[in-house]
Amino acid sequence: MQANLKAENAVLGNAASNVEGINPNAHESDQYLTFIMAGEEYGVDILCVQEIRGWESATPLPNAPSHIKGVINLRGTIVPIVDLRQCFGMEAIDYTPVTVVIVLKVKSEDGEHRIMGIVVDAVSDVYALSESDMRPPPDLSNAVNTDFVKGLVNVQEKMVILLDIDKLLTLDDVPNLSNLAKQIQSSTN
């Protein structure tokens, strides 16, 4: 666990030095935390990120789909944990010391906020990107739902897929566990 935290701090420390390096108009840009899954790099708006934690087991929920790994108690808040790899239909892998949970603040369609965690292979970097750097996702007609892809951007000769985490984590198959948290808290009082 200590090694995870040191590695995460090193990544975030290195990332901080890259923040201003992508776009000379960085003051007009948003910052994205990127992470790796199956060798591809994905990014989420850093303003949604609450914290990054090393993987620790979650309490499984009965009848939950396989990509819902369970819930953790994060300082009194019950947080559902979603394996993003499985959510995207990628092959499940064993978790390693670099596997991390990115805890995100997600805004639902009704304007409510909830806290969710996503399991990813590893965190990568932080980039400052402007809207002009982004390209729209490819049109895949109705074959693949890409509503949660905010855009694509080339960074240092690699493509980063930027995710709209609000749209991704409010899809119908990710349950809203906010009532569960209230029930657990009321049962412990």
Side-chain angles (χ1 to χ4, degrees):
M1 187 66 181
Q2 287 287 355
N4 275 352
L5 294 175
K6 287 180 182 177
E8 291 164 15
N9 287 338
V11 167
L12 294 176
N14 289 339
S17 64
N18 290 335
V19 167
E20 299 295 328
I22 303 302
N23 188 324
N25 299 321
H27 61 281
E28 299 172 3
S29 60
D30 295 321
Q31 294 181 4
Y32 290 86
L33 173 71
T34 63
F35 53 89
I36 305 294
M37 287 193 314
E40 299 296 328
E41 193 165 359
Y42 298 83
V44 295
D45 188 334
I46 202 164
L47 294 178
C48 300
V49 177
Q50 290 217 323
E51 65 182 85
I52 300 169
R53 305 171 56 89
W55 166 253
E56 56 189 78
S57 63
T59 303
L61 296 172
N63 296 323
S66 64
H67 64 275
I68 305 291
K69 305 316 284 180
V71 294
I72 62 171
N73 184 341
L74 186 62
R75 294 179 293 279
T77 300
I78 304 301
V79 178
I81 304 297
V82 177
D83 185 316
L84 206 54
R85 206 177 226 283
Q86 290 182 315
C87 191
F88 283 2
M90 297 175 186
E91 180 183 351
I93 60 170
D94 293 333
Y95 296 152
T96 69
V98 296
T99 301
V100 296
V101 175
I102 301 174
V103 179
L104 300 163
K105 187 175 184 179
V106 180
K107 186 176 180 181
S108 64
E109 291 176 2
D110 58 5
E112 297 282 321
H113 285 94
R114 61 181 173 162
I115 306 300
M116 298 188 72
I118 57 172
V119 182
V120 300
D121 294 356
V123 292
S124 180
D125 226 319
V126 175
Y127 300 119
L129 303 169
S130 69
E131 289 277 334
S132 62
D133 295 329
M134 294 182 209
R135 300 294 174 256
D139 182 10
L140 300 174
S141 66
N142 293 330
V144 179
N145 181 357
T146 58
D147 289 347
F148 54 85
V149 177
K150 189 172 188 177
L152 307 172
V153 62
N154 283 325
V155 179
Q156 298 168 355
E157 299 181 12
K158 60 187 172 190
M159 182 168 292
V160 178
I161 302 168
L162 302 177
L163 302 176
D164 183 332
I165 210 69
D166 293 337
K167 290 182 180 174
L168 175 65
L169 294 180
T170 55
L171 296 177
D172 291 340
D173 61 344
V174 178
N176 182 345
L177 298 174
S178 59
N179 288 334
L180 176 66
K182 290 175 187 172
Q183 290 173 354
I184 291 173
Q185 287 172 349
S186 65
S187 68
T188 58
N189 291 332

